[in-house]
Amino acid sequence: MQPNMTDYPSILKPQWSKLSAQLRRARKSNYYRDRIPAAAEKLQLHRHLFQSLPITTKAELVKNNLDFLAVSPSEIREWVTTSGTTGQPVRIALAKTDILRLAKNEAAALSLAGLRAGDGLLIAVGMDRLFVAGLAYWLGAQACGALSLRIGPSLVDIAGAAKLPLAPGRKWFLIGVPSLMASSLRDGAPLPENLGGIIGIGEPLLNADFQPNAVHRALAQFTCAPILSTYASTEVCCTFAQGPKCLGNHLNPQMGVIEILDAGSKPCKPGVSGRVVITPLGLQAMPLIRFDTGDIAALHLEPCPCGRSSPRLGPIVGRSAQLLKVQGVSIFATAIIELLREIYAGMDAIIHADRDAIGVDRVVIYVVCPPRRQNLLRTQFHNAARRHFKWIPKIQYCDIETIARIRSLRPSRKPQILIDTRVG
Ligand SMILES: [Zn+2]
């Protein structure tokens, strides 16, 4: 069979030989040895084989974790885990070369956002508890020749930190979870005067049509500096980044191959949302093949306004594990929270999905909001939900302790928007 290039619009020509090398590495693991045919080790000659390779899911990675190792235990330098926001945390092993790759990957992403040697990076992300993100930003800042300050998820210490000296003309960049940063800024945390940009991780800052969402607008009230997003997943150590002029986040072709697949695992057309599936390039310890991140987004192949031509990933519109099916309608939990934030950005909310005794899904949105705003929020939200979802979710106002109690049902390091107790 002749390879059909139109089947792989997002795989760039130089990536095929790197993909072959990755498949050779993967076949060293117990998991992939029998799942990947030997001929795929020369994938550049047999491109048609790519689509027949199995998709690797998070569930498979949890279930067969150690079988994914392609190196001996003595070669492992770090174990990291995912946050477990949408299920069980996943353990990932990193070899020495994987840590060097992590630094290179993050340095490229931070450079795209504008970080230069001599600038300062305020890392508002945890470095402990096997979390890879904080480590990655620290490594990336070091590889860029920048100063890094590990201030942690709260911006409480930012005032003193940002007064530390930088080289003349250099700027501070702040990286963290957008909704947490917005909440700290609302509580009075000051930003440095010479701010070069805010980089948001883990949550989208734009709607699918590239318009700023409510969190983006909340952050923009506090600064004129660019507010940029970055997309990455722990399992594939592959960051998609953007600069001030970009529409979407650029793939770094050195680090991974991206596919956007529909429900039948066929490639979606550019601009059409589907499952984000990534094959990282150059990973040694746990070389994943066609890893389904669980995120839903579209890929854009036309050149970016910034002038770069590498494929761009659009905003994450949802996660497949956070898809609610109620009264015959499918709705992403993120879409519900975005809608609430559009109406009142200062609220906090969590969606609780469970199932009653006869198997019917129940969805309740617990919202913390000042009493004087509650009636208006409910009315506006019901009207908007009827328009957008053809469904009116149940809102229950509560205090912050109730939300904390619901969140504790499924502890996670990331801000949770959905607690799903329908299964498990
Ligand atoms: Zn761009």
Side-chain angles (χ1 to χ4, degrees), residues 108-240:
L110 292 169
S111 301
L112 190 48
L115 189 81
R116 299 282 176 271
D119 286 336
L121 184 66
L122 298 157
I123 305 176
V125 180
M127 284 283 277
D128 55 354
R129 298 169 64 198
L130 307 182
F131 203 10
V132 73
L135 175 70
Y137 306 134
W138 185 86
L139 287 167
Q142 296 303 311
C144 282
L147 163 77
S148 49
L149 290 177
R150 296 176 287 112
I151 56 175
S154 152
L155 303 188
V156 173
D157 298 328
I158 196 171
K163 283 184 187 146
L164 293 169
L166 285 181
R170 302 323 303 164
K171 294 189 169 183
W172 289 102
F173 286 74
L174 171 63
I175 191 163
V177 177
S179 61
L180 296 182
M181 291 192 287
S183 155
S184 288
L185 294 174
R186 267 196 296 265
D187 290 344
L191 285 172
E193 279 174 19
N194 50 343
L195 187 69
I198 293 182
I199 305 167
I201 62 158
E203 290 175 350
L205 284 163
L206 301 176
N207 297 319
D209 58 359
F210 293 114
Q211 293 305 306
N213 65 11
V215 176
H216 188 292
R217 295 198 305 272
L219 289 169
Q221 289 173 7
F222 298 95
T223 181
C224 299
I227 296 167
L228 308 164
S229 73
T230 172
Y231 170 77
S233 116
T234 301
E235 295 89 341
V236 293
C237 299
C238 181
T239 300
F240 293 69

Side-chain angles (χ1 to χ4, degrees), residues 246 250 304 306 308:
C246 295
H250 285 277
C304 181
C306 76
R308 293 178 183 86

Side-chain angles (χ1 to χ4, degrees), residues 116-382:
R116 299 282 176 271
D119 286 336
L121 184 66
L122 298 157
I123 305 176
V125 180
M127 284 283 277
D128 55 354
R129 298 169 64 198
L130 307 182
F131 203 10
V132 73
L135 175 70
Y137 306 134
W138 185 86
L139 287 167
Q142 296 303 311
C144 282
L147 163 77
S148 49
L149 290 177
R150 296 176 287 112
I151 56 175
S154 152
L155 303 188
V156 173
D157 298 328
I158 196 171
K163 283 184 187 146
L164 293 169
L166 285 181
R170 302 323 303 164
K171 294 189 169 183
W172 289 102
F173 286 74
L174 171 63
I175 191 163
V177 177
S179 61
L180 296 182
M181 291 192 287
S183 155
S184 288
L185 294 174
R186 267 196 296 265
D187 290 344
L191 285 172
E193 279 174 19
N194 50 343
L195 187 69
I198 293 182
I199 305 167
I201 62 158
E203 290 175 350
L205 284 163
L206 301 176
N207 297 319
D209 58 359
F210 293 114
Q211 293 305 306
N213 65 11
V215 176
H216 188 292
R217 295 198 305 272
L219 289 169
Q221 289 173 7
F222 298 95
T223 181
C224 299
I227 296 167
L228 308 164
S229 73
T230 172
Y231 170 77
S233 116
T234 301
E235 295 89 341
V236 293
C237 299
C238 181
T239 300
F240 293 69
Q242 69 163 154
K245 290 184 185 167
C246 295
L247 281 182
N249 290 58
H250 285 277
L251 165 76
N252 182 341
Q254 306 287 327
M255 296 295 157
V257 160
I258 184 167
E259 300 170 83
I260 304 291
L261 302 182
D262 65 16
S265 293
K266 294 275 179 296
C268 293
K269 288 200 166 69
V272 175
S273 293
R275 294 145 62 205
V276 178
V277 173
I278 297 173
T279 304
L281 298 173
L283 267 187
Q284 298 280 341
M286 277 194 173
L288 300 178
I289 304 300
R290 305 190 85 196
F291 180 72
D292 188 339
T293 60
D295 292 322
I296 309 288
L299 200 66
H300 301 270
L301 299 181
E302 67 278 17
C304 181
C306 76
R308 293 178 183 86
S309 57
S310 54
R312 289 165 292 132
L313 189 63
I316 303 300
V317 295
R319 287 185 152 178
S320 47
Q322 293 185 337
L323 187 66
L324 299 166
K325 291 191 175 170
V326 277
Q327 295 170 12
V329 189
S330 296
I331 304 163
F332 285 113
T334 31
I336 296 175
I337 298 293
E338 286 289 322
L339 203 56
L340 277 165
R341 281 185 183 145
E342 287 292 334
I343 297 166
Y344 179 43
M347 63 91 217
D348 190 10
I350 188 144
I351 301 166
H352 185 198
D354 71 352
R355 198 161 280 163
D356 69 13
I358 55 167
V360 176
D361 283 357
R362 292 183 302 204
V363 175
V364 179
I365 307 167
Y366 292 88
V367 180
V368 180
C369 156
R372 62 191 161 79
R373 285 184 174 266
Q374 290 180 357
N375 282 341
L376 190 61
L377 177 65
R378 190 191 301 274
T379 309
Q380 290 185 337
F381 178 66
H382 280 176

